[in-house]
Amino acid sequence: MKKHLLLATTAAMLAFPLFHPAAAQPADESAAAQQIEADRATIVEARIAAIKAGLRLAPAQEKDWDNLEKVVREVIAARAARQKEAMKEAAGFGDRDDVVSGMKLAAKDLIARGEELEKVAEAAAPLFASMDAAQRHNFAVLLHSFAPGAQR
């Protein structure tokens, strides 16, 4: 229990820059963008570690966790790349007030998110099937905290 508490506390401290007074503000936009990406990566790592710790996996479940974690990381990377591209594309919409193009861009994103959610669900199925009732409950609670839009 203490190990899990220590892990969660450490993850929280890494996730919030205010706990790091020595963290310097980047001087230019490129450095700022890199810092934002590094911060997001830190938060993702902390959340993934928290989910794994909260599940208290049995050794036999580790293989299925590894596959799920791999898929989750792929989805996160794909979403980040898609978001970056969409922001570039949407930057031109403000000048033209092109609502239809914005709706099409949003629809494309929703379709991609649905496909990604399906991939994660497929990867989670073997692990979920091997979980006991407490792990299943924790999985739902922890997944909801990771992806607030997810249903319990």
Side-chain angles (χ1 to χ4, degrees):
M1 179 69 176
K2 287 183 182 180
K3 184 169 104 177
H4 296 297
L5 183 59
L6 179 62
L7 176 64
T9 303
T10 303
M13 290 189 64
L14 289 173
F16 296 105
L18 12 140
F19 291 113
H20 292 289
Q25 291 292 347
D28 59 63
E29 282 187 37
S30 172
Q34 288 175 344
Q35 185 62 51
I36 289 169
E37 288 304 315
D39 291 345
R40 282 186 188 160
T42 299
I43 291 168
V44 166
E45 291 300 319
R47 287 179 172 171
I48 289 172
I51 290 171
K52 184 176 183 183
L55 291 176
R56 297 178 184 93
L57 298 173
Q61 295 173 315
E62 287 290 334
K63 181 185 75 160
D64 292 328
W65 168 261
D66 291 343
N67 184 47
L68 174 58
E69 184 177 347
K70 177 181 168 248
V71 171
V72 166
R73 289 179 187 284
E74 289 170 359
V75 165
I76 290 169
R79 281 188 183 178
R82 192 174 60 251
Q83 183 180 27
K84 195 179 262 187
E85 186 60 37
M87 288 179 73
K88 286 180 189 174
E89 193 174 332
F93 295 166
D95 297 338
R96 297 190 316 250
D97 194 27
D98 195 347
V99 175
V100 173
S101 294
M103 288 189 302
K104 287 181 179 180
L105 185 62
K108 228 170 52 174
D109 183 60
L110 285 172
I111 291 167
R113 289 176 64 113
E115 291 169 350
E116 291 164 348
L117 183 57
E118 194 170 331
K119 285 180 190 176
V120 172
E122 289 292 322
L127 177 62
F128 193 77
S130 72
M131 291 179 182
D132 61 29
Q135 286 176 312
R136 286 180 179 204
H137 172 77
N138 289 346
F139 186 71
V141 170
L142 293 165
L143 183 64
H144 184 72
S145 72
F146 187 78
Q151 295 295 318
R152 281 192 180 194

